[in-house]
Amino acid sequence: MVEFPSEFVWGVSTSAYQIEGAATAGGKRPSIWDAFVRRRGAVADGATGDVAIDHLARLDEDVALIAGLGVRAYRFSIAWSRWFPDGDRRVAPAGRDVYDRLVDRLLEHGVAPWPCLYHWDLPAALQQRGGWTARDTVDRFADYAAAVLDVLGDRVGHVALRNEPNVHAVLGHLLGVHAPGTVDVGAFAAAAHHQHLATARVLARLRGDGVRARLGTVLNLQPVDPASDAPEDAAAARLLDAAWNAQALAPWSGGRYPEDLAALFAPVVRDGDEQELRAPLDWIGLNLYTRHRVAADPKSLIGLRLVGAGPDVATTAMGWAVAPDALREQLHRLARSLPGVPIYVTENGAAFEEAPGLDGVVDDRPRVRYLRDHVASVARARAEGVDVRGYFVWTLWDDFEWADGYGPTFGLVHVDRRDLTRTPERSFDWYRRLVATGRLPTDEGGPEDTAGA
Ligand code: IFM
């Protein structure tokens, strides 16, 4: 039997733009995602997060659902431009109150709030001044973080400073398939470096302010495999590993970027940055979904392209290979890179094609199997000595999946796009039992499997 200790933190993760809606309520001003979704062809079916799952209008109902799942922690992100509409010091009181209330509601239900300060939605006003390619954004972020913690700091035990800066740098600034939609290798390096600096500066600032919460950040690390034995494909895999994974770990690799990218980063790295980047974290989060498979492609901007999962490999609705052992592998990588720093799996989950049956039930057994095998992989890593202290499913509700719109559904809870009704799926019940007992259910969920659980 796979069993976890009682102090292991079970949670779920979400992000502001993907669920909140209320796009202009309370003086909120646009973020780069509000702008990006309006570009023709940027998002599948022209979808936007204007309404998303209307979470803010249903906050009490949604918090009750989180509590009903029994999780100990809820990671959500704060929309910077809801609280500080232009990304400067001017506060929108209604925006601030939203998060104040959310934190209180969670605590009333015995759920620990894990706010994340940045999940890709930079205020559009800051993008007009260069966004993450401009060094000034580092200090804007530090001011924002300090102001948020000034309000919430007495009630939050863990804070994630950023979510997946590496994905934001690659998809948003190099490939342009996410906001802000930039396609430029220099912008990629600048955005990656300034985000790292922002994390380090905030760590120093908040500790200087006496913030007691444990401060961490969240990386998306996926193993990269070459599509074939050809040396060109092996080189492509090394390059993607450097751009995606190794550059994300640079602050904990002596503050230095991988050799293959050193020339690219040189123009944005200033004297003293290397030292500043090394600020220690209280914890680190790992988001893992799959393995990347890559082939050389001289015609592409960076000389490579992602190819689908190999033959005979099961995939999710995103076309991502189901590869539970990748989680164990990357937990070891993180433990080697940040020795002594506790690790939390802050996102793991999968989208599958699914729909309610005639009885209204969403029978998402493939998701149950995916979660079960990944949680087992966490247990293996723990048994091998990796200090993993928690696991958060991505995600609770079917939501806005960025450039893919509302097509792929990752939620434990089905959200009907016509009226936004929430219906817990089979996986919700399965995860509820795992959380309640700390023991990994070996069944695939559903009422007929739960007798006695
Ligand atoms: O939905 C995203 C999330 O915003 C960041 N991590 C990956 C998830 C699935 O693509």
Side-chain angles (χ1 to χ4, degrees):
M1 156 140 7
V2 177
E3 202 160 1
F4 289 80
S6 59
E7 65 276 13
F8 192 81
V9 178
W10 297 103
V12 281
S13 286
T14 63
S15 95
Y17 190 73
Q18 295 179 270
I19 60 169
E20 283 186 349
T24 54
K28 180 183 179 291
R29 301 213 49 221
S31 76
I32 54 175
W33 268 95
D34 291 301
F36 185 73
V37 296
R38 289 182 163 72
R39 287 194 192 180
R40 190 185 297 272
V43 173
D45 304 323
T48 75
D50 288 0
V51 176
I53 67 159
D54 216 12
H55 170 64
L56 295 189
R58 299 167 189 238
L59 205 66
D60 292 337
E61 176 197 344
D62 282 351
V63 171
L65 195 66
I66 297 168
L69 182 57
V71 286
R72 182 186 274 215
Y74 174 59
R75 186 174 75 106
F76 59 95
S77 78
I78 292 172
W80 187 344
S81 69
R82 186 177 298 288
W83 189 325
F84 301 90
D86 297 309
D88 56 17
R89 288 168 195 258
R90 185 175 68 82
V91 170
R96 177 197 56 214
D97 293 352
V98 162
Y99 300 107
D100 211 36
R101 178 161 154 244
L102 173 60
V103 165
D104 282 345
R105 289 283 176 285
L106 289 166
L107 291 171
E108 282 159 23
H109 281 89
V111 179
W114 285 47
C116 173
L117 300 185
Y118 186 79
H119 196 121
W120 305 348
D121 47 356
L122 188 76
L126 292 183
Q127 186 62 34
Q128 276 160 20
R129 286 151 49 189
W132 287 110
T133 65
R135 203 171 162 103
D136 184 56
T137 303
V138 174
D139 286 323
R140 300 292 67 76
F141 184 67
D143 290 344
Y144 154 69
V148 168
L149 267 294
D150 195 38
V151 175
L152 303 183
D154 57 337
R155 283 162 289 157
V156 296
H158 289 77
V159 176
L161 302 182
R162 320 182 65 75
N163 186 72
E164 302 182 353
N166 50 333
V167 175
H168 197 34
V170 174
L171 300 189
H173 297 79
L174 176 63
L175 303 178
V177 296
H178 275 191
T182 308
V183 182
D184 184 280
V185 283
F188 154 72
H193 183 59
H194 295 146
Q195 289 188 86
H196 285 319
L197 266 187
T199 305
R201 202 155 297 170
V202 168
L203 284 168
R205 172 90 168 258
L206 296 183
R207 285 182 179 135
D209 287 353
V211 165
R212 288 198 312 270
R214 298 182 67 71
L215 307 175
T217 197
V218 171
L219 305 179
N220 176 307
L221 303 179
Q222 321 291 321
V224 182
D225 302 322
S228 77
D229 293 338
E232 304 78 42
D233 288 349
R238 270 199 312 277
L239 182 61
L240 186 66
D241 184 63
W244 191 286
N245 299 314
Q247 79 68 18
L249 290 166
W252 308 283
S253 310
R256 277 186 297 279
Y257 290 100
E259 232 172 86
D260 287 344
L261 304 178
L264 196 60
F265 277 78
V268 289
V269 178
R270 294 193 188 160
D271 285 351
D273 286 1
E274 224 176 82
Q275 182 62 30
E276 185 173 359
L277 287 188
R278 292 183 209 155
L281 293 167
D282 296 324
W283 61 272
I284 183 87
L286 170 65
N287 293 355
L288 182 130
Y289 290 87
T290 186
R291 314 181 69 91
H292 288 319
R293 197 156 156 269
V294 69
D297 179 359
K299 291 192 296 296
S300 91
L301 177 66
I302 48 171
L304 57 87
R305 79 192 140 83
L306 287 175
V307 294
D312 304 327
V313 175
T315 56
T316 70
M318 300 293 282
W320 297 347
V322 177
D325 207 46
L327 183 49
R328 179 177 147 265
E329 196 180 302
Q330 295 306 296
L331 285 168
H332 275 284
R333 182 175 190 174
L334 211 46
R336 282 195 304 275
S337 303
L338 288 98
V341 177
I343 303 175
Y344 294 85
V345 176
T346 35
E347 282 183 27
N348 176 240
F352 288 102
E353 309 279 350
E354 60 204 9
L358 290 177
D359 53 1
V361 174
V362 182
D363 185 348
D364 61 340
R365 269 175 253 218
R367 175 169 299 107
V368 170
R369 288 193 285 272
Y370 178 101
L371 296 176
R372 185 188 62 198
D373 294 348
H374 283 78
V375 172
S377 190
V378 174
R380 272 198 294 281
R382 282 173 51 85
E384 289 157 1
V386 181
D387 184 11
V388 194
R389 299 196 185 172
Y391 174 91
F392 292 63
V393 169
W394 183 270
T395 183
L396 185 53
W397 300 278
D398 292 344
D399 64 4
F400 176 79
E401 177 53 23
W402 308 113
D404 292 298
Y406 294 98
T409 51
F410 280 81
L412 301 180
V413 175
H414 172 74
V415 177
D416 189 317
R417 287 305 315 154
R418 291 164 304 186
D419 58 9
L420 305 181
T421 302
R422 283 86 159 118
T423 309
E425 304 181 15
R426 196 177 181 108
S427 56
F428 181 97
D429 182 61
W430 179 90
Y431 192 50
R432 189 185 53 71
R433 286 186 292 129
L434 168 58
V435 168
T437 61
R439 289 193 296 273
L440 187 64
T442 48
D443 61 65
E444 296 183 352
E448 73 276 21
D449 295 325
T450 59

